[in-house]
Amino acid sequence: MDEKFDCIIVGAGVAGLAAAMTLAKNNMKFLLIEKGEFPGSKNVSGGVLWGNDLNKLVPNYWEEDDSGWDRFINHRRLTFMDEQSSFSVDFKSSHFNEPPYTGVVVLRSKFDKWLAGKVEEAIAESDFAMDSFVAPNILVEEVLEEDGKVVGIRTGEDKFYADSVILAEGVNNLLTRQVGLQDKYVPADHMLTGVKEIIRFDQDVLENRFQLNGKSGMSNEFVGHATNGVEGGGFLYTNKDTVSIGLVLGLKDLREKEQTPYDILNHFKKHPAVADMIRGGEVVEYSAHVVSSGDKRVMPEKLYKAGLMVCGEAANLLMNAGKAIQGMDYAMRSGILAAEAITKAKEKGDFGESAMKAYQDTLEDSYVMKDINNFQDAVHLLHDPFMIDKMPNLLCDFGRNFFSIKNEPTKKARNMFSDSVKKHASYWDLVKIGAKGAKAL
């Protein structure tokens, strides 16, 4: 492997694999490097992959018997919680039953390995079947630069050269920092920690409990008492015979309130609404890792330099505006766009800074950055203390009154709501949060 590659990709997560698949389909010579034993071996987490880009990479993926996804999402739920109650916005539709699905649940250890296999198949069908490689168990220690241009990477004593490098190294973006595109220090108030458990059930029990049919699935986000007063929220996704349940928590707020993620997760699991959902299950995995808050201020200003591009979590491409946690779809699209920019650069024989800038230009014009730019106010709104404390308490109090049937005269719903507002907030609070919501959404 002494010859120069068209591209070296660092990291075989969703972004890196999407880039590799795109390069292989465009008949490019590349090296995909992964520090784990195999793609996905270091990922015990998962979630929902939204959108249709997976179908572009692997057409008709749903027809495969042994595919990398567990269930498609046709049931969405947003739940507000106080100490004893929950109030949910619930939506289920058969419109989501037809492929290509708008969201599929994946476990990354399984999904990444499967997608890497598809990359290998695409390599075998290309002109560079003997010259392109997926190389696991390799740690990249340095990005090589000459005369202001990235020319390759170093791993131990070995150096590999390429016309371009894609950094898809994940949120711990040490190489992105090394080349000067990310600040050496990112404030804790822009970062979250995600904690998750995988809980196994008998598949029939899981499908009956969550009203699943075939490969249908549910995603549930939680706001309020789920985090025991710490900034953040909870989630639950149904896999094939397990559920993924967990929290995303503000690092700064965790430290200031002297709480631990594991204790808050146990607190969340004991809530009456959640305890009923996971009753009888067996915890088979626990994981934790740092994620971006979705605040654009944490993103590198530039995602490129001569011969190099940054995509996926390494670029802090993630957003949670309350409707869904989006990260894997952003990673996939950014990997595709980076690879397409390299394909065009090779056609022109120019891998300089302007050619790499074309990647960020297309990213800015894609739904990824348009959503991140348009919904920054929603990201900030979701982390507003009112949304974590007062709003869930108010809604649950109203729900208890509205759905209670007593042997006494019943108040009008508007009077019940007024009582709950006075008990937990004020109409001025609602006016302010309503104005923020109107602007955000």
Side-chain angles (χ1 to χ4, degrees), residues 17 32 39-40 46 65 80 106 129 209 255 317 340 374 383 388 407 427:
L17 290 166
L32 173 59
D65 293 331
F80 295 87
V106 303
R209 183 168 299 178
R255 183 178 64 238
L317 297 178
E340 289 176 345
N374 288 341
H383 295 279
I388 297 170
N407 297 125
Y427 276 106

Side-chain angles (χ1 to χ4, degrees), residues 78-327:
L78 174 62
T79 300
F80 295 87
M81 305 168 69
D82 69 6
E83 188 173 351
Q84 293 180 298
S85 311
S86 63
F87 191 109
S88 295
V89 179
D90 195 291
F91 184 76
K92 187 173 185 177
S93 175
S94 60
H95 287 90
F96 298 136
N97 292 357
E98 296 299 320
Y101 303 116
T102 58
V104 292
V105 183
V106 303
L107 290 168
R108 290 289 301 279
S109 57
K110 174 184 175 183
F111 178 77
D112 291 10
K113 187 176 182 179
W114 169 79
L115 189 54
K118 293 299 177 182
V119 171
E120 296 273 18
E121 292 177 12
I123 290 174
E125 295 174 1
S126 75
D127 290 346
F128 295 102
M130 303 302 293
D131 302 293
S132 291
F133 304 90
V134 177
N137 263 330
I138 295 176
L139 175 65
V140 176
E141 299 177 54
E142 181 184 4
V143 174
L144 302 177
E145 298 186 65
E146 293 179 5
D147 300 323
K149 180 183 182 299
V150 171
V151 296
I153 57 94
R154 178 181 64 81
T155 170
E157 300 294 324
D158 298 318
K159 296 179 180 179
F160 299 92
Y161 293 92
D163 288 319
S164 59
V165 172
I166 294 176
L167 294 182
E169 57 183 327
V171 70
N172 297 317
N173 53 1
L174 299 179
L175 297 175
T176 305
R177 297 165 194 250
Q178 180 218 307
V179 298
L181 293 181
Q182 175 77 67
D183 294 338
K184 296 295 182 182
Y185 170 75
V186 177
D189 54 352
H190 292 329
M191 303 303 290
L192 309 172
T193 184
V195 291
K196 176 183 293 183
E197 286 184 351
I198 307 296
I199 302 178
R200 177 173 290 140
F201 296 87
D202 177 88
Q203 188 171 333
D204 288 339
V205 171
L206 183 142
E207 291 178 351
N208 289 332
R209 183 168 299 178
F210 292 96
Q211 299 178 330
L212 309 180
N213 182 27
K215 297 197 75 172
S216 71
M218 184 194 76
S219 70
N220 196 158
E221 281 75 40
F222 299 86
V223 178
H225 197 67
T227 61
N228 202 26
V230 172
E231 174 192 355
F235 57 84
L236 183 147
Y237 310 125
T238 55
N239 308 310
K240 181 179 180 181
D241 59 357
T242 63
V243 297
S244 299
I245 183 170
L247 303 162
V248 285
L249 303 164
L251 284 174
K252 181 181 178 183
D253 211 27
L254 268 175
R255 183 178 64 238
E256 291 178 350
K257 293 179 178 175
E258 299 182 341
Q259 297 195 53
T260 67
Y262 189 73
D263 287 340
I264 298 176
L265 180 58
N266 282 333
H267 167 83
F268 174 46
K269 289 165 59 181
K270 291 176 182 177
H271 189 280
V274 178
D276 286 343
M277 298 170 83
I278 62 174
R279 184 180 67 255
E282 175 192 5
V283 177
V284 292
E285 287 182 10
Y286 172 81
S287 63
H289 80 292
V290 175
V291 298
S292 170
S293 67
D295 193 316
K296 187 182 176 183
R297 290 173 293 182
V298 78
M299 287 183 58
E301 184 176 336
K302 283 178 59 179
L303 301 177
Y304 65 91
K305 60 190 306 183
L308 179 137
M309 289 169 282
V310 183
C311 57
E313 276 194 294
N316 296 116
L317 297 178
L318 183 141
M319 187 179 71
N320 180 13
K323 186 171 68 172
I325 299 173
Q326 292 180 260

Side-chain angles (χ1 to χ4, degrees), residues 360-401:
Q360 187 157 352
D361 290 342
T362 57
L363 187 67
E364 289 286 347
D365 198 42
S366 74
Y367 84 93
V368 175
M369 289 309 303
K370 285 183 177 179
D371 282 358
I372 288 176
N373 289 327
N374 288 341
F375 290 98
Q376 281 298 292
D377 289 332
V379 172
H380 300 152
L381 176 66
L382 189 65
H383 295 279
D384 190 298
F386 184 91
M387 295 299 295
I388 297 170
D389 181 26
K390 292 183 178 181
M391 181 63 80
N393 288 333
L394 188 161
L395 289 175
C396 288
D397 186 71
F398 169 72
R400 277 191 299 274
N401 291 325

